[in-house]
Amino acid sequence: MPHMLILGMGYTAARLAARLRDGGWTVTGVRRSPGPDMLAFDDMPAIHAAIGQATHILSSVPPQGDDDPVLIRYGAAISAAPARWTGYLSSTGVYGDAAGAWVDENSPIGTGRRTARAQADAAWGALRPDLRRFRLPGIYGPGRSALDRVREGRGHRIDLPDQLFSRVHVDDIVGGVIAAFDGPPGVYNLSDDLPCAQNRVIEAACDLLGLPWPPLQSLDEAGLSPMARGFYAENRRVANGRAKRLLGWRPRYPTYADGLRACL
């Protein structure tokens, strides 16, 4: 019986867990507080036992400050675990700003604003030779998309005409992780096929909802948080060809238009 241990049961990991359970898997999650099929992150004896029993181990926990809490507390145990598959959900933010150019898995990392994320990515890659790292761009899906931002009055159109981003539907991440169960270890970008300006996504969401487009604004006029402003500080297109070639993965939602229609 396959048994997946997921450290960090956030939005994406919860979607993966549901998919696996529907397929007959045993899934044990880890989060800050315990619950059904859920261990508390600080329950070290229980988590060490789960690490020893799991056939598959995935961490989706981002760095906290300068450190990766999973690596600090459980890295040695995961390194020595008998699991036949291990994975880590990383971020395409490790590539930094590419001035709108394409980046792939061979592009340098660690030059952007997410130094801790790049360091964690590299540390996970050195942990085990059989590890799969999934570098993810902006994640959206049901309950967490431009449709929700527009409905809540948080949809902004920023006057940066040359800004380009990549994104991925949460269920395409799930599909990519599952495809990697039988694929070779290494690094995989999981992104859709159409990098574009965020304004186009907001405009499409407004059109689907029958609402007017928000006005173009500068970053200062939009009153964005420092985290949101940082999103606009980097500009890149993320190539996904390696996952397609080596995993046989294809995004179910290859463009933002496909994904938004499914969310609606």
Side-chain angles (χ1 to χ4, degrees), residues 201-222:
V201 182
I202 295 297
E203 291 161 4
C206 291
D207 291 345
L208 286 170
L209 295 171
L211 296 173
W213 296 358
L216 280 175
Q217 296 177 300
S218 68
L219 286 172
D220 290 336
E221 290 170 337

Side-chain angles (χ1 to χ4, degrees), residues 154-166:
R154 298 184 294 109
H156 299 287
R157 293 171 67 232
I158 304 300
D159 191 11
L160 293 171
D162 297 325
Q163 205 75 11
L164 295 165
F165 306 99
S166 290

Side-chain angles (χ1 to χ4, degrees), residues 100-141:
W102 288 94
V103 294
D104 63 18
E105 292 83 353
N106 294 317
S107 299
I109 69 170
T111 60
R113 58 192 171 89
R114 298 184 180 180
T115 302
R117 174 63 96 170
Q119 291 172 343
D121 182 296
W124 276 98
L127 188 69
R128 292 176 62 119
D130 61 350
L131 190 116
R132 284 81 170 165
R133 280 174 286 168
F134 304 95
R135 292 177 180 161
L136 312 175
I139 301 168
Y140 74 99

Side-chain angles (χ1 to χ4, degrees), residues 2-45:
H3 180 183
M4 170 68 84
L5 172 65
I6 302 178
L7 297 109
M9 286 293 285
Y11 179 67
T12 300
R15 300 281 288 195
L16 173 64
R19 174 86 171 270
L20 294 178
R21 287 178 177 134
D22 286 345
W25 287 55
T26 297
V27 180
T28 300
V30 177
R31 63 183 184 189
R32 292 179 181 176
S33 56
D37 297 319
M38 201 76 61
L39 303 175
F41 184 78
D42 292 333
D43 189 348
M44 295 185 68

Side-chain angles (χ1 to χ4, degrees), residues 33-263:
S33 56
D37 297 319
M38 201 76 61
L39 303 175
F41 184 78
D42 292 333
D43 189 348
M44 295 185 68
I47 294 178
H48 277 289
I51 290 171
Q53 296 166 0
T55 61
H56 296 64
I57 299 173
L58 176 72
S59 176
S60 69
V61 178
Q64 296 178 2
D66 293 332
D67 299 315
D68 184 304
V70 175
L71 285 176
I72 288 175
R73 189 163 296 190
Y74 300 112
I78 294 172
S79 176
R84 60 176 181 258
W85 187 95
T86 52
Y88 173 64
L89 299 187
S90 184
S91 165
T92 57
V94 301
Y95 297 118
D97 181 32
W102 288 94
V103 294
D104 63 18
E105 292 83 353
N106 294 317
S107 299
I109 69 170
T111 60
R113 58 192 171 89
R114 298 184 180 180
T115 302
R117 174 63 96 170
Q119 291 172 343
D121 182 296
W124 276 98
L127 188 69
R128 292 176 62 119
D130 61 350
L131 190 116
R132 284 81 170 165
R133 280 174 286 168
F134 304 95
R135 292 177 180 161
L136 312 175
I139 301 168
Y140 74 99
R144 189 175 295 189
S145 75
L147 295 167
D148 302 282
R149 291 196 296 278
V150 168
R151 286 190 186 106
E152 297 164 7
R154 298 184 294 109
H156 299 287
R157 293 171 67 232
I158 304 300
D159 191 11
L160 293 171
D162 297 325
Q163 205 75 11
L164 295 165
F165 306 99
S166 290
R167 55 198 54 78
V168 64
H169 191 286
V170 63
D171 289 341
D172 283 329
I173 300 172
V174 171
V177 172
I178 291 174
F181 289 164
D182 297 318
V187 183
Y188 298 100
N189 292 335
L190 298 180
S191 63
D192 73 10
D193 294 337
L194 185 63
C196 69
Q198 182 70 0
N199 290 351
R200 290 176 60 185
V201 182
I202 295 297
E203 291 161 4
C206 291
D207 291 345
L208 286 170
L209 295 171
L211 296 173
W213 296 358
L216 280 175
Q217 296 177 300
S218 68
L219 286 172
D220 290 336
E221 290 170 337
L224 300 179
S225 68
M227 180 177 294
R229 290 177 70 97
F231 174 80
Y232 286 96
E234 296 176 351
N235 185 4
R236 60 182 167 265
R237 295 174 170 92
V238 178
N240 60 16
R242 189 170 195 267
K244 290 179 176 178
R245 291 191 307 273
L246 299 186
L247 304 181
W249 171 81
R250 294 293 184 276
R252 182 177 179 183
Y253 307 106
T255 74
Y256 66 88
D258 301 310
L260 287 180
R261 282 193 296 267
C263 292

